[in-house]
Amino acid sequence: PRSDCIAAEQLCLSDSTCNATYRILENCALAKTRFLPLDHDSRVRCLNAELDLGNSSLLHCKCHRRMKRQEHCLRVFWTVHSSVTDGYFNLETSPYENPANEEHWKTDYNKLAALLSGKDCSQLAGDATNPCLKATHVCNLSKKCVRLRTDYASICTKGAGSEDTCDRRKCHRGLRNFFEKVPEDFTKRILFCPCQDELCGERRRKTIVPDCSFQYNTKPNCLWLLDSCLEDHICKSRLADFQQNCQPADMSPDGCSQHNHAACLQAYMGMIGTPMTPNYVSNSSVEVSLWCTCESSGNQKEKCDQILGMFESNKCL
């Protein structure tokens, strides 16, 4: 069975041979994150060190989105798989274990929704026509959901609207906290609520407080966004997960190579709160995009269009 990468690292460090190999890989990963060019001999040494791990539990370890010390776990994973990202943004393997059945932490959304409909509905007149409003009201009945939603909303609205003064990093952390710690029954309904009118669509688009978490004053180049993502273990991991689970397939009837829309939506939610945070493009459609442009990409325009296309024209998503 796959172990988590923190346990696998401890096991490796207690063995002198594995320890020595792992230290080589740490230096390789460090050079890569600092974009230091490796000479031919160094590249061969890094590749050999990865091969030397053979069937070690380190090579097959995974992480969980909801685990403690997640960043440590992901750092270990990318130390061992640093050669995967050589010269291209296609990250072939996701560091995340496929989510097991996590019913034990789920709160009964339907029970709370029924409780809500039994209340005096005069103040909830918009519920029938505004599923996004209803999803918010149900969230308010769950202590954890309302607390974490209030947390990120207050962080992300500080300074928003003025000259880019909100603390985007803190806002992103608050959003990740919400999407990681609140049961998906709540988060999915808030983020993907089906809308018939623009009032509902505006509420859905503003779920993640886009003025702070999504928009910059001017659109950066998508390649810059990608570089920012690859320097960050969480973003890089979420992008790998998104690429694996939302890989489009033209010949497939459902448009997905993995045939698992739930996993794709979960991977999409994982991107929110990273430097590559996506969002709805308007109040009247379900189209999503990154906040970036491919103008002035020079000879890397094709690569840039690919990054943007993963969100803008992805049949699977």
Side-chain angles (χ1 to χ4, degrees):
R2 281 180 173 150
S3 61
D4 80 66
C5 293
I6 297 175
E9 182 191 43
Q10 287 170 345
L11 208 62
C12 175
L13 296 180
S14 64
D15 174 272
S16 57
T17 312
C18 187
N19 192 330
T21 306
Y22 186 63
R23 296 303 177 199
I24 294 170
L25 287 171
E26 279 187 317
N27 290 330
C28 302
L30 193 65
K32 187 153 275 193
T33 54
R34 292 178 181 168
F35 296 102
L36 300 172
L38 292 172
D39 59 36
H40 176 71
D41 289 350
S42 300
R43 277 206 303 276
V44 169
R45 191 163 62 247
C46 292
L47 214 53
N48 284 341
E50 204 169 306
L51 292 170
D52 284 346
L53 286 179
N55 287 323
S56 147
S57 57
L58 258 181
L59 205 57
H60 306 286
C61 70
K62 291 278 185 176
C63 302
H64 300 276
R65 265 203 198 88
R66 295 170 183 263
M67 74 187 292
K68 288 179 181 174
R69 300 172 70 200
Q70 183 185 160
E71 287 191 55
H72 180 168
C73 185
L74 295 173
R75 181 177 57 73
V76 175
F77 179 89
W78 290 115
T79 296
V80 177
H81 294 274
S82 64
S83 67
V84 169
T85 57
D86 249 358
Y88 193 53
F89 79 93
N90 257 340
L91 308 167
E92 293 161 21
T93 181
S94 169
Y96 290 111
E97 191 72 83
N98 286 337
N101 189 356
E102 291 178 334
E103 291 296 329
H104 62 276
W105 56 258
K106 281 194 175 181
T107 310
D108 194 337
Y109 180 95
N110 294 328
K111 199 185 287 178
L112 290 180
L115 192 68
L116 187 72
S117 61
K119 289 189 173 188
D120 172 26
C121 289
S122 54
Q123 83 273 24
L124 308 176
D127 272 5
T129 55
N130 193 336
C132 293
L133 192 60
K134 181 172 182 181
T136 306
H137 284 315
V138 180
C139 171
N140 290 343
L141 294 180
S142 159
K143 281 181 184 173
K144 181 179 258 190
C145 188
V146 73
R147 175 172 58 81
L148 291 171
R149 188 171 167 271
T150 306
D151 280 356
Y152 84 72
S154 63
I155 296 164
C156 299
T157 46
K158 274 180 193 164
S162 53
E163 278 297 298
D164 203 28
T165 51
C166 79
D167 192 328
R168 184 172 278 114
R169 192 181 285 259
K170 276 188 180 172
C171 173
H172 281 167
R173 198 182 307 132
L175 278 165
R176 289 203 309 273
N177 248 342
F178 176 73
F179 285 105
E180 280 175 25
K181 292 180 180 173
V182 174
E184 274 180 27
D185 252 6
F186 293 88
T187 54
K188 272 188 176 169
R189 280 176 164 93
I190 286 173
L191 192 65
F192 304 124
C193 37
C195 288
Q196 303 298 321
D197 59 54
E198 290 205 12
L199 196 70
C200 175
E202 183 182 23
R203 188 176 189 95
R204 180 174 61 191
R205 189 178 58 80
K206 288 190 170 174
T207 295
I208 66 166
V209 197
D211 285 352
C212 184
S213 69
F214 177 66
Q215 288 170 219
Y216 293 76
N217 287 339
T218 53
K219 280 191 177 182
N221 187 282
C222 299
L223 295 166
W224 177 84
L225 220 55
L226 176 70
D227 285 345
S228 307
C229 184
L230 295 180
E231 286 172 23
D232 175 290
H233 281 125
I234 285 187
C235 187
K236 182 174 165 180
S237 303
R238 302 297 170 83
L239 180 61
D241 198 50
F242 178 78
Q243 285 184 315
Q244 181 176 297
N245 289 300
C246 296
Q247 194 65 49
D250 289 336
M251 303 305 287
S252 168
D254 64 0
C256 296
S257 63
Q258 299 280 331
H259 312 297
N260 188 342
H261 277 115
C264 177
L265 291 182
Q266 186 187 46
Y268 173 85
M269 288 196 296
M271 295 301 301
I272 294 170
T274 70
M276 280 181 82
T277 294
N279 197 26
Y280 296 99
V281 294
S282 76
N283 297 340
S284 54
S285 83
V286 289
E287 282 180 44
V288 296
S289 180
L290 297 172
W291 183 260
C292 63
T293 176
C294 283
E295 288 171 27
S296 316
S297 297
N299 61 0
Q300 289 193 293
K301 176 123 182 14
E302 194 180 332
K303 179 180 172 182
C304 186
D305 287 338
Q306 259 185 300
I307 296 160
L308 201 49
M310 285 196 304
F311 294 87
E312 281 190 347
S313 51
N314 185 332
K315 282 181 184 173
C316 180
L317 179 64

